[in-house]
Amino acid sequence: MTDSNKDHRLRDSLQRCQACARAVMAVLERERGLLERRDPEGLTALMPEKLEALATLEAAERQRAEAARALGYAPDPEGMRRLLRERSDAGLEAEWQALTGQLQALQRSNEANGRLIHRSLEQTAGILAILTGAPAQGVTYGRDGAQGGAGPGRCITSA
């Protein structure tokens, strides 16, 4: 395979990664909406689509890595920077920059969804603590400053 064919293969793989990243972002945005609406059934239904979108992105990333290796470069970010610097191809550079920007946005979106999940879990734990009379989480202190509070609370679900 000639270098120009290898360059074309790399460009195609970068574009495929970008398309897959857009698909993952769409799923993450729908996931955020479901999290905000506290829709567990919707989240459960979305999970196979999310897993498939992530698997497709991973497969596209493997193709990109193979294309970089075929050109004699490491597939990691440093290897890609070296490839782009030595090849002086503005088109490849633009494709790589677009992809890295998309991946950073995916990371931020995924972290935001993680924060929503964490907040929801904390709220649920608090509600369960109130209903069962158990401490919500962590160590609590009583009026005398001793750990454990004033003793076990009364379960409000019992008469």
Side-chain angles (χ1 to χ4, degrees):
M1 186 182 287
T2 68
D3 273 0
S4 70
N5 286 346
K6 292 176 186 177
D7 284 347
H8 183 69
R9 181 174 165 214
L10 179 61
R11 187 180 322 277
D12 286 349
S13 69
L14 288 168
Q15 291 170 348
R16 194 171 306 110
C17 283
Q18 289 175 46
C20 292
R22 284 190 297 273
V24 172
M25 182 59 84
V27 171
L28 289 176
E29 288 170 356
R30 288 201 320 273
E31 181 182 57
R32 183 178 309 117
L34 293 166
L35 288 166
E36 288 170 348
R37 290 190 303 278
R38 294 183 172 215
D39 182 350
E41 292 84 15
L43 287 166
T44 300
L46 185 64
M47 190 53 61
E49 184 180 346
K50 181 179 181 181
L51 293 174
E52 182 180 337
L54 289 170
T56 303
L57 176 59
E58 288 173 9
E61 171 54 24
R62 282 191 301 275
Q63 290 174 345
R64 186 214 48 88
E66 290 170 13
R69 282 190 201 96
L71 287 165
Y73 295 90
D76 63 358
E78 181 55 40
M80 285 299 294
R81 283 190 289 274
R82 192 172 136 244
L83 182 155
L84 295 168
R85 186 174 53 251
E86 292 176 8
R87 295 274 226 222
S88 309
D89 184 327
L92 281 177
E93 172 88 28
E95 298 291 351
W96 176 249
Q97 292 303 321
L99 177 60
T100 57
Q102 285 178 301
L103 294 176
Q104 290 168 351
L106 281 177
Q107 181 69 28
R108 287 189 302 272
S109 182
N110 192 51
E111 288 171 358
N113 287 1
R115 285 189 300 274
L116 284 172
I117 291 168
H118 184 72
R119 188 176 319 128
S120 181
L121 288 173
E122 285 178 341
Q123 290 170 346
T124 301
I127 291 168
L128 285 172
I130 291 169
L131 293 174
T132 63
Q137 58 181 310
V139 177
T140 59
Y141 296 90
R143 289 186 193 115
D144 63 356
Q147 283 187 359
R154 180 171 170 257
C155 179
I156 64 171
T157 59
S158 62

